[in-house]
Amino acid sequence: MDTYASSGVDYEVLDRTKRAAGAAAAASAHQLAAHGGREFPASRGQSAYVFELGGQTLAFVLECLGTKSLVALEYARQTGHNRWADVARDTVAAVVNDLASVGALPLVVNAYFATGSDDWFALPGAMDELVRGWSAACAESGATWGGGETPTLRGLVTAGAIELAGSSVGAVPAGRAPLLGADLRAGDEIVLIGSNGLHANGASLARAVAAAAPAGWATPLPSGRHLGDAVLDPTVNYVPLVRALLAADLPITYLAHITGHGWRKIMRAEQDLHYVIDTLPPVPEVLTELTARAPLTPDEAYATFNMGAGFAVFCRPGTAPALLDTAHHAGYQAQLAGTVHPGPRAVTITPLDITYPGDTLLLR
């Protein structure tokens, strides 16, 4: 088990499919003009689609949780602990963090709860906790829960399981342009915002690790916590951070949500730039455990997990101290971690002597 692909998730295959779909989707852009709107073409391949209608710049995103809901199901069966509220918070955070990455703040969030049978709804307290967590995450994001869909998909979703996803529409504050990477320059500073664990990517690999461990999800970590308990810590919601940064009117040039593809997401912008990271954040205990048990080399670990950094903020030279102060006051761990250099496009993590060339992250 030496790569994420060995757990059944091959990003090279997935990205190739996404690029083909993206090309077909881009061909439909002219239809927006029929409604008096226009798209921001540079938003294609970003974390959210951005368009203008009626003089307002809006963003839209659809995101799913993936297999982390299976972790909650397996952990509950093994230990009796109900973590559905945390899984709901995870799903909302996966949605709104992507939306905020283009400089938009969520207005409405919709839910998608798909089950394979009625058995999931019979789980003690599961639906109540799911609703509680979803509501709390929407409140934290400053968004209205608009509704959603709860299909029963027999034969498509595993009986007794649930698939969680959501969508959101948000607005870029008046007078601001969306953050799509065009303003990035060599010399910009890179501030990494701390994560608290696995977040919403890497669950397939975590499940493979748990399946190979004699105690499964009850495997103890050095702190004494169960592996499953730590894996289910909900994703940090970065919307309050982005709201605070925009309110402070700091010269932010780009934002990146570090999810699938790990730290390669730092180079999500199309710009031909080299992102050099000189300072690493602390790695959460659960990620240290997963990378050791998989096992993953540092190169594989930082290309798979967030490794302690769930979000990256890029700003003009000399701005990082004010940005750090704003982030800390908003309750986030943050550190000046590196700088942007002229291309070719790549991410280099100097303390680990790792470089990810640009062709390892092809989203367009």
Side-chain angles (χ1 to χ4, degrees):
M1 190 196 308
D2 57 352
T3 67
Y4 201 22
S6 68
S7 66
V9 181
D10 189 333
Y11 276 120
E12 184 176 342
V13 174
L14 294 175
D15 290 345
R16 189 162 57 245
T17 302
K18 289 178 181 179
R19 291 194 297 273
S28 69
H30 66 281
Q31 297 181 89
L32 189 58
H35 304 282
R38 70 178 184 94
E39 73 165 20
F40 287 77
S43 69
R44 291 191 178 273
Q46 299 289 344
S47 60
Y49 177 70
V50 184
F51 62 101
E52 186 179 86
L53 185 67
Q56 188 164 28
T57 302
L58 302 169
F60 178 78
V61 67
L62 170 68
E63 188 57 78
C64 69
L65 179 64
T67 61
K68 199 169 180 182
S69 62
L70 288 175
V71 178
L73 189 65
E74 293 162 1
Y75 186 61
R77 286 172 176 168
Q78 186 174 359
T79 68
H81 293 162
N82 184 329
R83 296 295 297 275
W84 292 108
D86 290 331
V87 170
R89 295 178 72 98
D90 247 324
T91 312
V92 174
V95 173
V96 297
N97 286 345
D98 271 2
L99 190 79
S101 296
V102 298
L105 299 174
L107 300 171
V108 179
V109 174
N110 268 20
Y112 177 81
F113 304 157
T115 56
S117 68
D118 296 338
D119 296 350
W120 185 87
F121 293 99
L123 297 174
M127 191 61 182
D128 289 343
E129 285 296 287
L130 191 70
V131 168
R132 183 176 70 83
W134 197 279
S135 298
C138 287
E140 183 180 18
S141 306
T144 293
W145 181 358
E149 178 72 1
T150 56
T152 300
L153 305 176
R154 297 182 186 277
L156 188 59
V157 177
T158 301
I162 188 167
E163 178 188 13
L164 298 173
S167 62
S168 181
V169 62
V172 176
R176 302 191 67 95
L179 296 169
L180 302 176
D183 292 334
L184 270 170
R185 299 286 184 272
D188 284 357
E189 296 170 325
I190 305 171
V191 172
L192 294 180
I193 313 298
S195 74
N196 66 349
L198 185 71
H199 284 193
N201 72 286
S204 294
L205 184 54
R207 291 180 63 231
V209 167
W217 291 117
T219 298
L221 301 179
S223 65
R225 294 185 73 191
H226 286 167
L227 173 64
D229 186 49
V231 164
L232 288 166
D233 284 342
T235 302
V236 174
N237 188 320
Y238 296 106
V239 170
L241 168 70
V242 174
R243 182 176 284 110
L245 295 176
L246 295 178
D249 201 26
L250 296 171
I252 298 167
T253 55
Y254 194 58
L255 300 167
H257 186 198
I258 301 176
T259 54
H261 304 87
W263 282 34
R264 290 174 290 175
K265 278 287 176 67
I266 290 172
M267 60 174 167
R268 183 164 196 159
E270 282 195 284
Q271 296 271 46
D272 191 20
L273 296 168
H274 187 183
Y275 307 87
V276 179
I277 304 298
D278 298 310
T279 305
L280 301 180
V283 179
E285 176 188 43
V286 66
L287 295 182
T288 299
E289 187 77 11
L290 289 172
T291 56
R293 285 179 174 271
L296 300 179
T297 64
D299 184 297
E300 292 165 343
Y302 280 79
T304 302
F305 296 129
N306 66 65
M307 299 306 285
F311 209 72
V313 182
F314 303 78
C315 60
R316 291 290 182 234
T319 309
L323 197 157
L324 291 172
D325 185 63
T326 300
H328 292 151
H329 275 88
Y332 294 85
Q333 297 178 346
Q335 64 185 95
L336 174 59
T339 52
V340 181
H341 295 255
R345 182 169 168 262
V347 175
T348 292
I349 307 172
T350 55
L352 301 175
D353 194 26
I354 293 171
T355 293
Y356 300 113
D359 62 6
T360 63
L361 183 74
L362 298 175
L363 301 178
R364 300 169 183 82

